[in-house]
Amino acid sequence: MDEFPPIWGFRDARECLAALIAARQRRDPSFSYRQLHRFAGIRTPNYAQLFISGKRNIREDTARKFAEGLSLSPEETEFFVALVRFTQSDDPDERTEYYRQVLELAARHGETAKIDQARLDYFNEWYIPVIHAMASLKGFRADPVWIAARVRPKIRSFDAQRALDVLVHLGILVIEDDGTVRVEEPRLETDD
């Protein structure tokens, strides 16, 4: 499939499906939801609209049928199915696992997934925001051993280094060549 829009940047299956259908309609003005349903072998003529609007969830086999109806590649199909699982799950542990799957598949196709993984790490590891806050204090040193010795409860210097890497990757910390640290404040958000 023509990768416009690139599927790998989506983090919501409903938005992804809507964008893929719109892109297909731009390429082929005669393409319709009814045609998608026919290509996908789905009898309910408004099933995609119900899913996109959040009024219905879809099963994995239906997600695969939509992907087939849109002529997605096998790898794009796997991504879309993982995205559907992530979008529809209410269990926080399942959502985290599905999100990791989405990021893993997306990572094969660009930098976006790496940034998202760093964002996920920021919100999942309690000590990363703590080190972010510490970096604003006078005398802060970007030394993992120094940081680990000051964080309570204790963390390993490996974790402190990981936190520094995440904060630098997200653009929150800038570590100068002379070792001084500058704190930037990019906006970090996450979906509910």
Side-chain angles (χ1 to χ4, degrees), residues 139-143 164 174-182:
F140 177 81
R141 294 185 355 208
D143 172 12
L164 288 171
V174 176
I175 301 174
E176 304 293 346
D177 291 336
D178 65 359
T180 59
V181 176
R182 187 174 74 243

Side-chain angles (χ1 to χ4, degrees), residues 36-82:
L36 169 64
H37 289 94
R38 194 178 51 204
F39 290 160
I42 297 171
R43 294 181 189 204
T44 307
N46 65 341
Y47 204 48
Q49 293 100 320
L50 292 171
F51 173 67
I52 290 168
S53 69
K55 294 178 182 170
R56 294 276 307 261
N57 282 338
I58 59 175
R59 295 189 330 243
E60 187 173 315
D61 63 322
T62 305
R64 290 184 187 285
K65 288 178 182 180
F66 280 141
E68 183 179 322
L70 289 164
S71 304
L72 297 183
S73 71
E75 195 169 27
E76 289 170 328
T77 298
E78 289 310 308
F79 178 83
F80 182 66
V81 169

Side-chain angles (χ1 to χ4, degrees), residues 15 22-23 28 51 54-55 62 77 86 102 107 123 131 134 138 145 149 155 173 178 186 190:
E15 291 175 10
D28 177 6
F51 173 67
K55 294 178 182 170
T62 305
T77 298
F86 169 69
V102 165
F123 289 110
I131 295 170
M134 285 176 64
K138 186 176 181 177
V145 175
I155 63 170
L173 293 185
D178 65 359
T190 184

Side-chain angles (χ1 to χ4, degrees), residues 83-102:
L83 199 56
V84 167
R85 288 186 201 123
F86 169 69
T87 299
Q88 295 181 158
S89 179
D90 292 328
D91 179 89
D93 292 332
E94 280 183 1
R95 280 183 62 81
T96 298
E97 179 55 34
Y98 294 148
Y99 192 61
R100 287 190 193 282
Q101 290 173 13
V102 165

